Amino acid sequence: MESVFEIIAEPNRRAILDLLASSQRSVGEIERRLRMPQPSVSKHLRVLRESGFVESTVDAQRRLYRLKLEPFQEVDAWLAPFRRFWSVRVDALAHHLDRMDSSKPTKRKTRRRR
Amino acid sequence: MESVFEIIAEPNRRAILDLLASSQRSVGEIERRLRMPQPSVSKHLRVLRESGFVESTVDAQRRLYRLKLEPFQEVDAWLAPFRRFWSVRVDALAHHLDRMDSSKPTKRKTRRRR
DNA sequence: CTTTTATATACTCCGGATAGCATATACGTG
DNA sequence: CACGTATATGCTATCCGGAGTATATAAAAG
């Protein structure tokens, strides 16, 4: 579980992140809103915390969790090289790759399609 | 392995996608460039194909693989709600969440910090 | 001090995903 | 046709992560 991609691969964790996008929340709030067992919430929050997606502050017995930016930006950065393909027009990728085809087709006598 | 996030969680698959971002490639090219066993490449390509990240065309005995857009856009779409936090200034998220704090602090007699 | 509330952790179990290896399939070449 | 090349698939062993349950810790309330 090293990369940010593995972290956000888990649906429950994405649900937590989505929820935290609107506001910081306590563990109990997350538990209720997502109808998810408390130990499960705590475990996912631990993973999210250790991977830098969230941070927590203490409020009496409660812990308030909030988002942190960096890991999201990391995902965004990975996406960037691909985004250039659809930023112009929707089906630009195919055309683009068609043109910069680098693989020289094998020489052949008969050209067969199937 | 339903979601696009699980697909891109695998490092070798991301490597393949990164490679295909520059140009379409045959299985053999991917195998050599990534120094990865051929069956492994084929298996990952299968996953990528079935999840819509790539498509292939037949060229004699070779298969040329190229990127497809939709799944990337799906990731991009998920990222959008979070992106608004860092689009203005780097540490905007903390301030934002500070302001829209919805969790009413527990009533207490003594406020302790640790 | 005892009880209740809030959260974290420990432990076990199970399924699914990946690696590795062997093999099948398909096409091209001579 | 026999052989080499390119790619896909089948099978097995293994490993890791998540679910579930019980329990520990900590603070508040009475």
Side-chain angles (χ1 to χ4, degrees):
Chain A
M1 191 106 58
E2 338 158 326
S3 81
V4 295
F5 301 96
E6 291 170 290
I7 305 295
I8 63 174
E10 219 290 321
N12 295 308
R13 280 197 288 269
R14 285 202 306 282
I16 292 176
L17 291 176
D18 291 343
L19 185 56
L20 293 182
S22 57
S23 164
Q24 64 177 351
R25 309 275 181 189
S26 70
V27 177
E29 284 180 300
I30 299 172
E31 177 191 355
R32 288 188 295 277
R33 297 224 184 203
L34 302 183
R35 296 218 173 77
M36 172 178 252
Q38 178 270 318
S40 182
V41 174
S42 283
K43 282 181 205 167
H44 285 305
L45 283 173
R46 153 117 100 149
V47 173
L48 290 171
R49 190 177 351 110
E50 291 177 344
S51 58
F53 275 90
V54 303
E55 62 186 357
S56 71
T57 57
V58 176
D59 172 57
Q61 326 104 306
R62 303 191 305 166
R63 309 286 157 103
L64 297 180
Y65 281 85
R66 61 164 63 171
L67 296 181
K68 284 185 71 181
L69 293 176
E70 298 73 18
F72 292 97
Q73 294 173 317
E74 204 175 316
V75 177
D76 191 63
W78 177 78
L79 216 50
F82 303 101
R83 194 149 37 220
R84 54 190 292 278
F85 292 138
W86 75 77
S87 55
V88 184
R89 56 187 163 144
V90 176
D91 65 345
L93 176 59
H95 301 269
H96 172 83
L97 290 183
D98 274 346
R99 265 184 252 109
M100 61 186 310
D101 182 354
S102 75
S103 42
K104 336 84 192 170
T106 307
K107 240 168 249 164
R108 65 175 93 79
K109 297 167 180 173
T110 55
R111 170 177 272 270
R112 300 227 189 84
R113 286 284 153 192
R114 84 174 33 205
Chain B
M1 191 107 56
E2 337 158 326
S3 82
V4 296
F5 301 96
E6 292 169 287
I7 305 296
I8 63 174
E10 220 289 322
N12 295 308
R13 279 196 290 268
R14 285 202 306 282
I16 292 176
L17 292 176
D18 291 342
L19 185 57
L20 292 181
S22 57
S23 166
Q24 63 177 352
R25 310 273 182 190
S26 70
V27 178
E29 284 180 300
I30 299 171
E31 177 191 354
R32 288 186 296 277
R33 298 223 184 203
L34 301 183
R35 296 218 172 77
M36 175 178 247
Q38 178 270 317
S40 180
V41 174
S42 283
K43 282 179 201 170
H44 284 306
L45 282 173
R46 154 118 100 149
V47 173
L48 289 171
R49 190 177 352 108
E50 290 178 346
S51 58
F53 275 89
V54 304
E55 62 187 357
S56 71
T57 58
V58 176
D59 171 56
Q61 326 102 306
R62 302 190 308 166
R63 309 287 157 100
L64 297 180
Y65 282 86
R66 61 165 60 173
L67 296 182
K68 285 186 70 183
L69 293 175
E70 298 72 18
F72 291 97
Q73 294 173 316
E74 206 174 314
V75 177
D76 192 63
W78 177 77
L79 217 49
F82 303 101
R83 195 152 33 222
R84 54 191 293 278
F85 292 138
W86 77 75
S87 54
V88 183
R89 56 182 165 151
V90 177
D91 64 346
L93 176 60
H95 301 269
H96 173 83
L97 290 182
D98 274 347
R99 265 183 251 109
M100 60 186 310
D101 182 355
S102 77
S103 42
K104 337 84 192 171
T106 307
K107 240 169 250 165
R108 65 176 93 79
K109 297 168 181 173
T110 56
R111 173 178 267 273
R112 300 225 189 87
R113 286 282 153 191
R114 81 173 32 202

